Amino acid sequence: NGETYRRRGWCRLEQWAHMAVAGLDNMHIYERGELHPFKERPSWYHDSIHVFAGDFTVESDKKMLVDTVLGLWALALAGKDADPLI
């Protein structure tokens, strides 16, 4: 289910990691039997970078993600001129 995937913290982290490293061009959302470009869904990638606002089964997992999120933030800042959507 796309909506539950979109809300899960670990899934958000996975999406943001891909965006930070490879950009949005090769990301798609499978919905109703079709692929849709991720970059056409700004609310999806907006939610993806809000990892800590996502749902976590184990709330303490958020503490383990701090270093990773800081690294992704640094990558996003370094590449912001290459893709302004990130």
Side-chain angles (χ1 to χ4, degrees):
N1 175 317
E3 286 305 310
T4 59
Y5 179 81
R6 182 178 172 177
R7 287 193 313 260
R8 288 185 224 130
W10 285 103
C11 296
R12 288 179 177 203
L13 179 67
E14 179 183 85
Q15 292 172 60
W16 190 20
H18 187 279
M19 287 188 295
V21 173
L24 297 171
D25 289 333
N26 293 318
M27 293 182 73
H28 296 82
I29 299 165
Y30 185 76
E31 211 171 41
R32 294 182 208 100
E34 295 180 358
L35 286 175
H36 303 275
F38 195 72
K39 70 173 22 175
E40 291 179 3
R41 307 287 175 95
S43 62
W44 272 74
Y45 57 81
H46 180 267
D47 286 349
S48 295
I49 65 171
H50 291 92
V51 173
F52 297 113
D55 295 339
F56 286 85
T57 304
V58 179
E59 282 294 310
S60 63
D61 281 355
K62 292 178 181 181
K63 293 176 185 175
M64 294 188 308
L65 301 180
V66 172
D67 290 345
T68 302
V69 168
L70 288 173
L72 289 174
W73 186 248
L75 280 173
L77 287 175
K80 70 180 176 149
D81 294 330
D83 192 341
L85 292 178
I86 295 177

